[in-house]
């Protein structure tokens, strides 16, 4: 029961910070977000990762993840998941983009875990 309350609180906090029309003082330009899970069933408490724009290699995960659920990926962005902590392009295990189904538990196709990720977003000329 406590994990359900914690998950509900995290969800409310995420929605609160990403709702720009109702809360303009907390405007966030979230272009991508996903939750990492220790289990291949994506149950338990997820580790939220969210941001806007490209990132470098992110290997500061609290745990090696066995699965993830995608919340959102903006047009022009893609998330690459790796099984190593160096974002080695020879070891890409999964790529998520705007056409990837959201809220579905996704796992690597072989018996490995996600250890790092990198987000690439194209710059939009205004």
């Amino acid at each position: 029961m406590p994990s359900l309350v914690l998950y509900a609180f995290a969800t409310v906090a995420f929605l609160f910070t990403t709702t720009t029309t109702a809360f303009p003082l907390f405007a966030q330009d979230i272009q991508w977000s996903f939750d990492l899970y220790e289990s291949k069933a994506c149950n338990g408490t997820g580790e939220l990762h969210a941001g806007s724009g490209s990132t470098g290699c992110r290997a500061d995960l609290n745990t090696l993840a066995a699965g993830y659920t995608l919340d959102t990926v903006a047009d022009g962005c893609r998330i690459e998941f790796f099984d190593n902590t160096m974002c080695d392009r020879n070891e890409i295990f999964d790529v998520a983009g705007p056409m990837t189904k959201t809220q579905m538990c996704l796992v690597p196709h072989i018996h490995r875990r996600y250890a790092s990720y990198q987000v690439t977003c194209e710059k939009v000329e205004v």
Side-chain angles (χ1 to χ4, degrees):
M1 186 65 130
S3 64
L4 181 60
V5 171
L6 185 59
Y7 182 76
F9 177 77
T11 301
V12 169
F14 174 75
L15 292 174
F16 181 78
T17 60
T18 59
T19 306
T20 58
T21 55
F23 306 100
L25 296 176
F26 298 101
Q28 298 285 325
D29 185 22
I30 301 296
Q31 291 181 299
W32 53 269
S33 66
F34 60 91
D35 290 287
L36 293 174
Y37 294 89
E38 289 185 52
S39 77
K40 288 190 178 234
C42 296
N43 54 12
T45 303
E47 179 182 321
L48 177 65
H49 294 263
S52 79
S54 299
T55 68
C57 182
R58 298 286 172 95
D60 55 344
L61 310 179
N62 288 335
T63 184
L64 295 180
Y68 72 93
T69 57
L70 186 65
D71 299 316
T72 186
V73 180
D75 287 336
C77 293
R78 70 185 244 151
I79 305 168
E80 298 168 317
F81 295 93
F82 304 88
D83 85 325
N84 58 68
T85 58
M86 300 161 291
C87 298
D88 182 356
R89 294 223 176 262
N90 295 323
E91 300 290 329
I92 293 176
F93 275 144
D94 209 350
V95 177
M99 300 303 290
T100 307
K101 288 186 179 181
T102 59
Q103 303 304 315
M104 174 188 276
C105 185
L106 301 162
V107 297
H109 297 291
I110 52 181
H111 300 292
R112 295 197 176 164
R113 293 180 175 260
Y114 302 115
S116 62
Y117 70 90
Q118 180 171 312
V119 180
T120 306
C121 294
E122 299 172 359
K123 291 201 179 235
V124 178
E125 298 297 324
V126 188

